[in-house]
Amino acid sequence: GTQSKWRRELFAKHFAEYGSDFMSADIDEKAIRMERPEDMTVAIAIAKADALLPRLAGKDVLLVCMDQVVCCDGSVREKPESETEARAFLESYRSGKGARCVNGIVVHNTRTGRRVTGCDSSTIFWRPFPDAVIEHLLAEKLIFTCAGGFTAEDVQLQAYLERVEGTLDSIEGLPIAALRSLLLRAVAPAATHVLFDMDGLLLDTESAYTVAQQEILDRFGKKFTWALKAKMMGRKALDAVQILIDDLGLEGVISAEDFLKDREQLLDKLFAEAKLMPGVDRLVRHLHQHGVPMAVATSSHRRHFDLKTGRHRELFGLMHHIVTGDQVSKSKPDPEIFFEAARRFDGGAPESSRVLVFEDAPNGVEAGRAASMQVCHVPDPNLALSLRGDSHGELSSLEEFRPEDWGLPAF
């Protein structure tokens, strides 16, 4: 459901396997106003879907609807309504102010009635561009059909592109990775069981690992970088530390076993103070209240699990069971721990496609996908974009989770 020629061209190029036909919804978008642009764009996309669904009665299709607004200088910008407004928008961009493009997406499966929503944003910056570029854009008139009053694809404007924080396809109005995840989720069955990773997802323990490991590495003049941390996340302790030693050239300087011994002493105190991540308490209690079976599948060994959860035993007691890293032989990205956790539910393992895995680490996402389960990725904001995009959905926090998007009872 789109009038945008850019979106149509991008969809046909990147989602050819789905086939495509295009419609446009006649709704009053300006009548839908919300404080947060993320909420507003999703609400407008939903309104478009609702307007188009009667025209699709009896058809077995995936209906995709989107909306985009641009945020700049503290205000939300839609399509410029006059040349004066368009000039003002362009003047702000050439003065160095970034244009944050917020995309609301809805995918509706007409066969099952399942509807999933998502939001993606990226920011674009330009170097100062001359008056001739502004006059060219005004004469072309395409900017009057675009939120924010610019076309990132314009050749003359592209010459002054400084950087994009995010992805260019998101700037252009069709975030490919986000849409691919939503299409996967829209055709998946409703989730009936939930598996949680723990470190960095339920508990804020990743900072403790960083502090402890850097303290040890200071002895050798080495830096514990985020790129290295991403390689280690989700793996069993000895495997992860061996990666660190190999990556930093410490082979023969300190063994993985000795590094772990030193780290254990530092972590014992830090783990005892672990706090819940945002949105965890609400989500776990909600799922328990509605009888959704839950379990934890963590690479942490049992001793560390007990240390980390000491302040939250009542909440973790709502889980059906816990599987720790010392109870399996292989670490993530191998799916063994998820298969073992699923097997322990009452009645045996449910159908894999009906299990929803929450993960923060790329290795965990890979393990969940290898298990043929649905995966919701909640990455650290520092995680590189190249290590994202293979899940059924991505959130910046569990506070954003919408259970109904996964076939679970709504809050």
Side-chain angles (χ1 to χ4, degrees), residues 226-227 230 379-385 388:
W226 232 101
D380 187 287
N382 294 298
L383 187 67
L385 289 175
R388 307 182 187 192

Side-chain angles (χ1 to χ4, degrees), residues 321 338-350:
H321 56 275
F338 290 137
F339 286 137
E340 177 62 22
R343 183 186 66 80
R344 297 189 186 189
F345 283 119
D346 290 340

Side-chain angles (χ1 to χ4, degrees), residues 229-281:
K229 183 173 183 174
K231 295 179 184 178
M232 298 169 63
M233 288 172 66
R235 297 183 184 272
K236 294 172 75 171
L238 194 61
D239 295 337
V241 169
Q242 190 60 55
I243 289 173
L244 177 148
I245 288 172
D246 292 343
D247 203 80
L248 295 180
L250 294 175
E251 190 69 46
V253 178
I254 185 171
S255 69
E257 291 78 8
D258 287 343
F259 191 102
L260 277 178
K261 183 179 178 180
D262 292 349
R263 194 180 75 174
E264 288 285 306
Q265 296 176 4
L266 296 169
L267 288 177
D268 281 358
K269 181 180 179 180
L270 294 169
F271 282 162
E273 303 299 319
K275 297 179 181 179
L276 292 176
M277 295 292 282
V280 169
D281 189 86

Side-chain angles (χ1 to χ4, degrees), residues 336-386:
E336 180 188 6
I337 195 168
F338 290 137
F339 286 137
E340 177 62 22
R343 183 186 66 80
R344 297 189 186 189
F345 283 119
D346 290 340
E351 183 182 337
S352 290
S353 63
R354 291 190 175 274
V355 178
L356 171 58
V357 172
F358 285 93
E359 266 287 353
D360 71 309
N363 287 322
V365 172
E366 186 178 343
R369 291 301 304 273
S372 298
M373 297 173 179
Q374 298 184 54
V375 182
C376 180
H377 191 192
V378 191
D380 187 287
N382 294 298
L383 187 67
L385 289 175
S386 61

Side-chain angles (χ1 to χ4, degrees), residues 166-240:
T167 62
L168 190 57
D169 50 81
S170 178
I171 299 293
E172 294 173 344
L174 194 139
I176 293 168
L179 178 54
R180 195 170 295 283
S181 294
L182 289 172
L183 288 167
L184 284 173
R185 203 191 317 165
V187 298
T192 58
H193 295 66
V194 171
L195 298 178
F196 291 103
D197 176 47
M198 184 177 71
D199 293 294
L201 179 87
L202 299 180
L203 295 176
D204 183 11
T205 53
E206 291 298 336
S207 58
Y209 282 106
T210 299
V211 170
Q213 284 165 168
Q214 187 58 62
E215 185 169 331
I216 298 170
L217 291 175
D218 283 343
R219 289 186 251 162
F220 310 108
K222 302 290 186 178
K223 184 73 174 175
F224 185 61
T225 65
W226 232 101
L228 176 55
K229 183 173 183 174
K231 295 179 184 178
M232 298 169 63
M233 288 172 66
R235 297 183 184 272
K236 294 172 75 171
L238 194 61
D239 295 337

Side-chain angles (χ1 to χ4, degrees), residues 16-92:
E17 68 271 26
Y18 286 93
S20 57
D21 195 5
F22 300 98
M23 315 163 66
S24 58
D26 185 17
I27 65 167
D28 182 5
E29 297 183 17
K30 293 188 180 298
I32 303 173
R33 301 291 94 178
M34 294 183 178
E35 183 175 344
R36 295 180 69 246
E38 293 84 357
D39 296 334
M40 184 171 74
T41 53
V42 170
I44 292 173
I46 288 173
K48 291 177 180 179
D50 289 341
L52 292 174
L53 279 174
R55 295 161 58 182
L56 296 171
K59 296 183 179 180
D60 184 1
V61 300
L62 293 174
L63 172 63
V64 178
C65 291
M66 301 184 184
D67 186 66
Q68 184 188 69
V69 296
V70 172
C71 301
C72 181
D73 205 19
S75 63
V76 172
R77 296 178 174 179
E78 296 185 74
K79 300 167 187 174
E81 296 185 344
S82 66
E83 182 176 313
T84 300
E85 187 173 45
R87 284 184 183 277
F89 287 176
L90 293 169
E91 286 289 350
S92 66

Side-chain angles (χ1 to χ4, degrees), residues 384-405:
L385 289 175
S386 61
L387 297 176
R388 307 182 187 192
D390 195 36
S391 65
H392 291 76
E394 183 179 310
L395 307 173
S396 61
S397 162
L398 284 177
E399 291 179 306
E400 298 178 356
F401 182 69
R402 287 168 44 95
E404 61 269 33
D405 279 356

